[in-house]
Amino acid sequence: MTLSLGDTAPDFEAETTEGKIRFHEWIGDSWAVLFSHPKDFTPVCTTELGYMAKLKPEFDRRNTKIIGLSVDPVGNHAKWASDIAETQGTAPNYPMIGDTDLSISKLYGMLPPAPRVTLPYELRPIIRPCAMSSSSGRTRKSNSLSSIR
């Protein structure tokens, strides 16, 4: 499914750190921001979730709810919240979804495309950025049609 600007956000049911929700009912008459992070306990995601918790009063002031999504189970999110509080000065103060079956990630097109080739090598020409050095020692960047064999 491809989502475009102006589309109605797909509805779903999910387990969250604040209990089970149906997304559209949870939004109610508010705006909503659904954001995702790939895995619990990763350094960048830890800082991002702490930052969102610090910004939550600003979202509230604008009648906007925030909700996070990860492929890890809700139980992991609860444990991670303590780590976020310790390292970022505040724990998530919004629900976090456990999307262990990837159903919401797929519904919203959040996953990367499947690998093109499962072999260790690609067997067809592809365009890749590369750097080439000339005899004068100058390096120039270009796109090159190349094959990995």
Side-chain angles (χ1 to χ4, degrees):
M1 169 182 208
T2 302
L3 296 175
S4 298
L5 291 175
D7 287 353
T8 299
D11 196 15
F12 57 84
E13 286 187 9
E15 289 297 328
T16 78
T17 52
E18 296 181 3
K20 191 169 191 152
I21 66 158
R22 175 166 278 292
F23 190 53
H24 287 184
E25 288 175 13
W26 175 81
I27 294 171
D29 63 354
S30 302
W31 292 91
V33 174
L34 168 65
F35 63 96
S36 67
H37 54 93
K39 196 111 176 96
D40 292 356
F41 296 98
T42 58
V44 172
C45 296
T46 297
T47 59
E48 290 171 346
L49 269 66
Y51 186 71
M52 290 297 282
K54 290 175 186 171
L55 287 178
K56 187 172 180 301
E58 291 300 317
F59 284 105
D60 292 343
R61 200 166 61 83
R62 292 166 174 82
N63 192 33
T64 303
K65 296 178 177 181
I66 58 176
I67 188 165
L69 176 140
S70 166
V71 299
D72 290 317
V74 170
N76 283 17
H77 297 341
K79 293 174 192 169
W80 189 25
S82 298
D83 182 62
I84 294 168
E86 181 182 328
T87 61
Q88 304 307 305
T90 186
N93 47 5
Y94 48 83
M96 292 176 26
I97 298 167
D99 187 26
T100 56
D101 65 357
L102 307 177
S103 61
I104 300 164
S105 300
K106 289 176 183 175
L107 183 66
Y108 276 77
M110 294 178 177
L111 299 176
R116 295 180 290 193
V117 177
T118 57
L119 301 171
Y121 302 105
E122 274 196 87
L123 302 176
R124 59 192 168 115
I126 58 171
I127 296 175
R128 297 185 184 275
C130 68
M132 303 167 99
S133 294
S134 68
S135 59
S136 66
R138 292 187 186 145
T139 301
R140 75 169 202 256
K141 293 180 181 175
S142 67
N143 285 330
S144 165
L145 185 62
S146 62
S147 276
I148 300 174
R149 305 233 190 265

